[in-house]
Amino acid sequence: MINEYQQGTNMDEQKPYTGFFQVMVSLLGTPMNPNDEDQPYIVGRENIKAIMLDMVVASFDTITTAIEWTLSELLRHP
């Protein structure tokens, strides 16, 4: 998806960003802490993929927790 996005669009034309994915791709290749010049860590594809995966897994967990909580409340108060 990252390659398709980068090939299909000009990164300079994408501001203002309309989605989380666009913001994450715009961070590709930037330092994690722009104020620290000695820090060699740069946001890479692995970082973006890991954050996107965490977001998807967290959304599933939240839905599961909400359904479980709702069912337990329905059982407690029919």
Side-chain angles (χ1 to χ4, degrees):
M1 286 179 59
I2 295 172
N3 286 339
E4 291 175 11
Y5 179 78
Q6 287 180 326
Q7 291 173 0
T9 61
N10 185 355
M11 296 300 285
D12 296 331
E13 296 174 0
Q14 289 301 317
K15 295 178 183 175
Y17 303 110
T18 58
F20 183 71
F21 180 73
Q22 290 175 338
V23 172
M24 294 304 298
V25 173
S26 72
L27 295 174
L28 189 63
T30 60
M32 289 190 187
N33 186 357
N35 298 326
D36 188 9
E37 296 163 357
D38 298 330
Q39 185 181 22
Y41 302 111
I42 294 180
V43 177
R45 291 180 184 276
E46 297 82 21
N47 302 111
I48 292 175
K49 289 190 279 186
I51 292 170
M52 297 297 288
L53 180 64
D54 285 346
M55 294 295 289
V56 170
V57 170
S59 69
F60 287 136
D61 184 49
T62 304
I63 292 169
T64 305
T65 303
I67 291 172
E68 187 176 316
W69 178 81
T70 303
L71 289 176
S72 66
E73 287 297 315
L74 286 173
L75 289 173
R76 285 181 42 197
H77 306 289

